Amino acid sequence: MSTRILVDLSEDTLKELDAMAEASGQPRAHLLRRAVQKLLSEEKFLASSKQRSVAFGLWKAQPMTDEELLAIKDEWNEGGS
């Protein structure tokens, strides 16, 4: 299912979009959908990167022996079972 939206673009942006559409043989709507999907994908990547950076070093203050660390890694490799 798709929904139509109304987007305000400057004349210059519209001219550039029309030129891209003509050069690629794709309709403007297709180019806009691709641009929106790319933006959403980038935002998801940035959000996951931010989550990783927050989690990185989370256990730094938790002293562990090598054996304890290896036991945890073994659990991860076994799928937590």
Side-chain angles (χ1 to χ4, degrees):
M1 181 178 166
S2 62
T3 302
R4 288 184 183 254
I5 62 169
L6 183 63
V7 178
D8 293 322
L9 300 173
S10 69
E11 289 293 322
D12 290 340
T13 301
L14 189 57
K15 286 178 185 177
E16 288 183 49
L17 184 60
D18 283 340
M20 285 180 69
E22 186 174 332
S24 68
Q26 301 289 325
R28 286 190 303 200
H30 176 76
L31 297 177
L32 289 170
R33 283 190 295 271
R34 273 192 14 211
V36 169
Q37 287 301 316
K38 183 176 180 182
L39 175 65
L40 293 174
S41 294
E42 289 172 0
E43 290 297 322
K44 287 178 187 175
F45 174 77
L46 291 174
S48 67
S49 293
K50 184 177 180 182
Q51 289 171 348
R52 284 191 300 270
S53 68
V54 168
F56 183 77
L58 193 62
W59 284 31
K60 185 167 83 173
Q62 302 293 327
M64 276 192 236
T65 65
D66 289 344
E67 292 79 22
E68 290 171 324
L69 184 58
L70 289 173
I72 290 172
K73 288 182 177 181
D74 286 343
E75 284 181 24
W76 293 338
N77 290 335
E78 295 170 7
S81 55

